Amino acid sequence: MSIRRIDVGPRMSQAVVHGKTVYLAGQVAADPKADVTGQTEQILAQIDKLLAQAGTDKTRILSANVWLADIKTFADMNKAWDAWVAKGNTPARATTEAKLAAPEYRVEIACIAALPD
């Protein structure tokens, strides 16, 4: 089974396709000056772009992990998530509070998706 890497960097790839599964690296906001809702919107747009490059879309996300720098911002993150997530195709999801890679990041999201048959 082949492995295809998308946006390969020196430390990690932004996405890896293996078989019929797409694994996305944790995504953070390009503009970390935004609030939690804004950062989440940026991240979800990046996820859409990466999934499209892999040949799939958000309706085929199997699972998502969300890390928040402050769990008190859960509702703010969900404001963007709920507007974006594909109704009727919601993935399994976990959300937790964690210290992120840099203090300006308030949200990080990683997900796994299926490719179409």
Side-chain angles (χ1 to χ4, degrees):
M1 212 174 287
S2 67
I3 297 173
R4 181 167 59 105
R5 300 175 197 285
I6 298 170
D7 291 347
V8 178
R11 180 169 292 138
M12 64 185 213
S13 296
Q14 292 301 310
V16 176
V17 180
H18 180 253
K20 291 291 214 171
T21 308
V22 181
Y23 303 87
L24 267 58
Q27 301 297 306
V28 295
D31 177 10
K33 293 178 185 144
D35 64 9
V36 170
T37 302
Q39 286 194 22
T40 304
E41 289 169 345
Q42 291 176 49
I43 293 164
L44 297 174
Q46 290 167 204
I47 288 172
D48 281 335
K49 179 183 168 195
L50 287 167
L51 290 174
Q53 286 180 272
T56 192
D57 63 47
K58 67 183 172 186
T59 67
R60 302 187 60 81
I61 296 175
L62 304 171
S63 70
N65 289 308
V66 180
W67 296 274
L68 296 171
D70 183 349
I71 200 69
K72 292 176 189 162
T73 62
F74 185 71
D76 297 324
M77 178 276 298
N78 273 327
K79 187 186 313 179
W81 177 273
D82 291 345
W84 172 83
V85 73
K87 306 301 181 230
N89 292 294
T90 52
R93 190 185 94 176
T95 304
T96 188
E97 181 179 82
K99 187 172 184 179
L100 301 180
E104 62 268 21
Y105 295 129
R106 298 176 176 160
V107 184
E108 183 170 347
I109 302 174
C111 60
I112 299 170
L115 288 173
D117 294 326

